[in-house]
Structures are given as C-alpha cells and as structure tokens.
C-alpha cells in the first residue's frame, strides 16, 4: 500500500465519526485534526495544527489537476483566518472531510456549498503515491524538533514538555515561533487541555457579543466562561484575538486549576498595586516562579509569548 493509499484508507475508516472542535481522534475530529491524524499514521513530521498553516504544505496545484491524495482548502467564513477548512481528495470531484454538519464524511467538493468556498489545493504525494513531506527520523535529538528552539533556549525544556503532551504544536518549516504573542482564545485552549477540562461542544450561545458560533474558539471560550475562568469586559466583549497579558494569564491559569489565591496586604512588585484585581494572582505566580522577573517589576500589561506560556504551565505543574 502506497503512502497515499494509507492516508485515504485512514480517512475512509473515520467516516461516520462526529465532528468535535480541537479533536484529533480517535473518536471525533475537526477538519485539520483529521488530516493531522492521517499524516501521523505515515510518520510525517512537522505538520501544523490549523488548516491555515496546513495550506503551506506541499506544492500548489490548479483545481483542474486535482487527483486522489491532494489536500483541498476552503474559506467557510467562520474565522478571519483563510483558509479555515480542509479535506483530502479521493478523486477529481470528491473529498473526505470533517465538518460540523455531517461529521467525517465523503462528499463532492464541487457541490453548491463547497464550490464557491474553494481556496486552493496542495499536492503532497508524487505520481507513485509516495509522500513528499519529511518523515520522523528516529535518530533526531529532542533539541532538533523545533529549529527555532535550540536546546540552549531558556524555555526549551518547558516547550518540549508541553509538546510531548500534545498541548502545543509548531508551524510549517518545523518552527515553534517562541516569541510570538499568544491570543486570549489560544491561551484558553491550551489551559483547558493542560488541566483536563472538557470542552462543551453543545453550548449554543455565548455571553460575549464578539464570540460567534462559527468561530473555532466558540466552545472553548464558552466553556471557560461557564467554569468561571473568564468574565470578559464590562461592555460584553471578550476580545478573543487580542494578545493575553501577564496579569490575565496569572488569573486564567490559577482559575483553570481551580485555585483562588488569598488576599494580600502588600505587593512584592512596584508596578502591581496591592488592591489591583490581579494582585493576588500575580503574588501567587511570583511565589511559584511562573515568570522570569527582574528589577522588582512584574509588567502586568506585557503580552505573553508562546514560550512564556509554556514556562507558566510547566512551572505551575512543578509547584503543584
């Protein structure tokens, strides 16, 4: 069986399983999770998690040249990221994909719903069905997994810990982008997974006027709200695509762990007033060394990077 046939066989065996946002199987999938799981069977490495980033895989092809095994991408309008949906072609007119209406299903990508949403296609197999993407090298050392996170990176061990637990993923080109700021919605997803909080897909409405059912983070944000991890702004918005800052991260991580820090009478940081809403959370974070601190300041408004978030979660586990 060729690599291409193995991927198609895997996808066919998933038909009928339900759609679940952020799921990579084995009982349920979202669209990019299905592709990620299928390529994992082939031991292909460095596959990004989101459809938007998966669109960088392989080489672009025109729609008239689509054949089995090609990756298909669409803009469904659910998020600002484009493309935001993907499927695997099983012939020049049909695909297997995981969608919120039908679950994992086989259908025509030329159907009235999909045709106007088609964004492009990428080829990842040669004419003999051999995958053109790199496969895992059993001799690769851990320090080589992300090319932008060498072993001497200050947060290397923290990033590796979360990667091994499948809590964080990289981008095309084997990049982690450790200095990239984390969005509020992304932070919630990682925290819910890190603390084994089930995401409730059955939620049908949101308390926030800027969180919509078609958003990838809809169930994540609503689950966090129901659990009391977030409250949102007084004007009824959550700002899911805004960078999360240090003060917010402190509160979110402790409430995700179901911990309410005690009140404090004084602050150890000159830029954290003792009566600030975040002061108790920052004080507890300081005790547990969740952030690197220097000069007696905490910088509560500073955006949290991907690397820093990994450190926060890793050091929290160590201090628990």
């Amino acid at each position: 069986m060729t690599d291409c046939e193995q991927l198609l066989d895997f996808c066919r065996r998933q038909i009928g399983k339900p759609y679940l946002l952020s799921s990579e199987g084995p009982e349920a999938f979202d669209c990019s999770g299905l592709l990620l799981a299928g390529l994992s069977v082939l031991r292909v490495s460095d596959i990004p998690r989101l459809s938007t980033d998966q669109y960088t895989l392989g080489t672009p092809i025109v729609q008239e040249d689509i054949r089995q095994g090609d990756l298909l991408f669409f803009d469904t309008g659910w998020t600002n990221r484009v493309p935001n949906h993907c499927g695997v072609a099983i012939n020049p007119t049909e695909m297997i994909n995981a969608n919120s209406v039908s679950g994992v299903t086989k259908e025509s990508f030329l159907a009235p719903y999909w045709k106007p949403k088609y964004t492009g296609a990428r080829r990842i197999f040669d004419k003999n069905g051999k995958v053109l993407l790199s496969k895992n090298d059993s001799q690769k050392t851990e320090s080589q997994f992300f090319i932008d996170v060498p072993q001497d990176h200050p947060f290397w061990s923290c990033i590796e810990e979360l990667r091994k637990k499948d809590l964080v993923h990289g981008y095309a080109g084997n990049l982690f982008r450790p200095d990239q700021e984390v969005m509020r919605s992304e932070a919630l997803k990682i925290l819910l997974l890190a603390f084994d909080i089930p995401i409730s897909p059955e939620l049908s409405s949101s308390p926030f006027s800027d969180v919509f059912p078609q958003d990838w983070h809809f169930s994540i944000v609503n689950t966090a709200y129901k659990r009391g991890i977030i409250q949102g702004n007084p004007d009824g918005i959550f700002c899911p695509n805004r960078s999360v800052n240090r003060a917010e991260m402190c509160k979110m991580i402790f409430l995700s762990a179901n911990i309410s820090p005690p009140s404090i009478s004084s602050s150890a940081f000159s830029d954290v007033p003792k009566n600030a809403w975040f002061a108790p959370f920052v004080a507890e974070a300081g005790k547990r060394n969740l952030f690197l601190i220097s000069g007696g300041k905490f910088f509560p408004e500073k955006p949290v990077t991907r690397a820093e978030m990994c450190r926060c979660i890793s050091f929290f586990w160590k201090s628990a």
Side-chain angles (χ1 to χ4, degrees):
M1 186 180 291
T2 67
D3 291 336
C4 180
E5 290 169 340
Q6 287 187 63
L7 174 62
L8 296 180
D9 177 68
F10 173 85
C11 291
R12 288 190 180 99
R13 287 187 283 108
Q14 312 313 313
I15 291 176
K17 291 186 178 180
Y19 173 93
L20 181 61
L21 182 66
S22 304
S23 182
E24 300 164 12
E27 301 303 326
F29 297 89
D30 64 11
C31 63
S32 55
L34 177 64
L35 177 58
L36 184 67
L39 291 176
S40 295
V41 172
L42 302 181
R43 296 186 300 108
V44 173
S45 60
D46 312 331
I47 303 302
R49 181 60 178 85
L50 300 179
S51 298
T52 312
D53 300 315
Q54 291 173 349
Y55 191 47
T56 63
L57 297 172
T59 57
I61 56 172
V62 297
Q63 188 172 11
E64 293 73 22
D65 191 33
I66 289 174
R67 67 189 187 203
Q68 66 175 10
D70 290 336
L71 310 184
L72 311 178
F73 294 88
F74 306 85
D75 176 15
T76 63
W78 283 21
T79 73
N80 292 328
R81 294 180 290 102
V82 177
N84 44 52
H85 186 79
C86 64
V88 180
I90 56 176
N91 58 50
T93 63
E94 293 182 304
M95 68 175 175
I96 296 175
N97 73 110
N99 65 75
S100 59
V101 175
S102 307
V104 182
T105 187
K106 180 184 77 171
E107 58 188 319
S108 172
F109 57 83
L110 302 179
Y113 177 80
W114 293 110
K115 189 173 182 179
K117 296 175 173 58
Y118 175 80
T119 301
R122 312 286 294 194
R123 177 154 295 159
I124 61 170
F125 297 102
D126 66 17
K127 63 181 181 180
N128 297 315
K130 181 180 179 180
V131 69
L132 299 171
L133 306 176
S134 62
K135 292 195 174 185
N136 289 321
D137 182 356
S138 60
Q139 301 303 314
K140 182 190 290 187
T141 64
E142 289 185 318
S143 62
Q144 295 174 313
F145 196 90
F146 294 122
I147 63 173
D148 54 350
V149 185
Q151 196 166 7
D152 60 359
H153 188 285
F155 302 154
W156 173 81
S157 61
C158 302
I159 294 170
E160 278 295 288
E161 182 178 13
L162 268 67
R163 179 188 69 79
K164 290 178 180 178
K165 294 179 181 293
D166 204 28
L167 298 181
V168 296
H169 302 90
Y171 295 87
N174 207 18
L175 297 172
F176 182 71
R177 301 178 185 172
D179 298 324
Q180 179 174 295
E181 296 174 3
V182 180
M183 294 191 304
R184 285 157 62 85
S185 53
E186 292 175 327
L188 283 180
K189 177 183 177 181
I190 296 172
L191 288 172
L192 293 183
L193 293 174
F195 291 98
D196 296 319
I197 299 174
I199 298 172
S200 304
E202 70 275 7
L203 298 173
S204 58
S205 61
S206 174
F208 306 114
S209 60
D210 59 348
V211 177
F212 308 101
Q214 63 267 31
D215 293 334
W216 69 266
H217 51 257
F218 179 78
S219 296
I220 293 170
V221 173
N222 286 356
T223 297
Y225 176 78
K226 293 287 187 180
R227 295 291 292 255
I229 298 171
I230 57 171
Q231 293 179 323
N233 296 351
D235 56 1
I237 64 174
F238 177 66
C239 301
N241 297 319
R242 179 172 66 75
S243 299
V244 64
N245 63 40
R246 286 185 164 196
E248 294 168 333
M249 178 60 68
C250 290
K251 178 179 179 181
M252 288 162 59
I253 194 170
F254 286 115
L255 294 187
S256 294
N258 200 28
I259 295 174
S260 296
S263 300
I264 59 173
S265 57
S266 61
S267 175
F269 305 106
S270 61
D271 56 350
V272 178
K274 65 179 182 180
N275 58 347
W277 64 264
F278 51 84
F281 299 99
V282 169
E284 190 67 22
K287 292 178 183 178
R288 297 172 184 248
N289 196 28
L290 302 193
F291 287 95
L292 287 179
I293 305 298
S294 62
K297 290 188 175 183
F298 184 74
F299 299 103
E301 299 298 326
K302 183 180 178 182
V304 176
T305 67
R306 284 166 58 81
E308 287 177 324
M309 181 159 192
C310 290
R311 176 194 166 91
C312 283
I313 296 173
S314 177
F315 273 63
F316 177 89
W317 285 335
K318 290 179 174 64
S319 68

